Amino acid sequence: ANFTGYTGTFTWTSGFTWTIGDGTAGASNIALKLVSGMTWSGISSFNQVLTFVSTSATQQTIDWGGKTTSTVTFNGAGGSWKYLSAHTVGSTGWIVTLTAGSLDINGQTCSWGSFNSNNTNTRALTLGAAAITITGTGATWNISQVTGLTLSAASSTITCNGAALTVSCGTSTTYGTLNLTGSGNVTLNTVSSFTNLNRTGTAAKTDTFKLDESQTVTGTLTLAGNSTINRMLVYSGTTGTAKTITAATV
């Protein structure tokens, strides 16, 4: 779907799923190209799903053209996609999901409600130096299951700023910087390695950082309560069993 030169209005009806792709790559290897000169309207609900399903191994590009989307899913066995621009979803409840295929965020700046790749399909996620802000609550970054996954995230920065979060980065995975800035209980529940890990409290007495597993930080670990009054509780997810953060700098 290439909107180059289009200056009209594309209106998306609520409840409509737009499926892009088949067994061959699109013209000029473009999966989707939105442009600034077009009007992109009607994005209003979680169930307006944009699904990329190509099974072609040829990497196809996605240019969001500065437009805000709803839920986006990548689900093409053997398919391959690469971002060419920043990507924003319009609500904290809207998800970007990698079910199957290869997705290269290509170092872009993104704002998503949540991200999910919690399955055992063959899939690859490349973040590069991407700066991704996750705005939702609950299971906002969910890669609990790493079977079938190839992950390249060592240069990335992920910031989760919603309340009451559970972050599952995937067992034995490596990330760049993870910032956890939301209020309430924030849980880190898989064994991962980070260059930098930051948990920052808010102006509340109920902020916590729960460790379900031990973690490794090769750079700096920062645990910052809001004040001497609004402190942050750091604790193990298993009563009576210590969890360890091994960090180069605290």
Side-chain angles (χ1 to χ4, degrees), residues 35-249:
V35 294
S36 59
M38 68 184 290
T39 299
W40 173 260
S41 69
I43 307 299
S44 61
S45 68
F46 173 85
N47 62 5
Q48 293 169 292
V49 183
L50 176 57
T51 303
F52 294 90
V53 298
S54 175
T55 56
S56 171
T58 300
Q59 189 177 68
Q60 299 174 68
T61 60
I62 299 172
D63 188 343
W64 300 105
K67 308 304 183 184
T68 296
T69 74
S70 180
T71 298
V72 178
T73 298
F74 297 89
N75 188 16
S80 181
W81 305 273
K82 181 179 182 178
Y83 277 24
L84 295 184
S85 61
H87 179 213
T88 299
V89 302
S91 171
T92 59
W94 296 351
I95 306 171
V96 173
T97 300
L98 173 60
T99 303
S102 299
L103 176 60
D104 184 356
I105 302 302
N106 191 30
Q108 301 298 330
T109 298
C110 301
S111 179
W112 302 334
S114 60
F115 175 78
N116 187 296
S117 188
N118 190 31
N119 62 77
T120 60
N121 298 322
T122 300
R123 63 211 193 280
L125 176 64
T126 301
L127 299 183
I132 301 175
T133 299
I134 302 296
T135 59
T137 61
T140 53
W141 187 272
N142 188 1
I143 312 180
S144 297
Q145 178 58 259
V146 296
T147 299
L149 174 68
T150 300
L151 177 67
S152 177
S155 300
S156 64
T157 299
I158 299 172
T159 300
C160 299
N161 60 23
L165 306 179
T166 298
V167 179
S168 303
C169 292
T171 300
S172 300
T173 54
T174 300
Y175 289 79
T177 297
L178 176 62
N179 300 312
L180 305 169
T181 62
S183 62
N185 187 53
V186 173
T187 300
L188 191 56
N189 70 355
T190 49
V191 180
S192 306
S193 176
F194 306 92
T195 302
N196 302 298
L197 176 60
N198 306 310
R199 171 66 175 117
T200 304
T202 65
K205 297 176 176 60
T206 54
D207 289 347
T208 66
F209 185 29
K210 184 175 76 166
L211 296 166
D212 282 345
E213 302 291 347
S214 296
Q215 307 295 327
T216 298
V217 180
T218 59
T220 301
L221 167 70
T222 302
L223 301 173
N226 175 263
S227 68
T228 57
I229 301 299
N230 297 310
R231 297 173 183 249
M232 180 174 59
L233 173 66
V234 181
Y235 70 107
S236 167
T238 303
T239 301
T241 301
K243 304 299 180 183
T244 301
I245 306 178
T246 302
T249 304

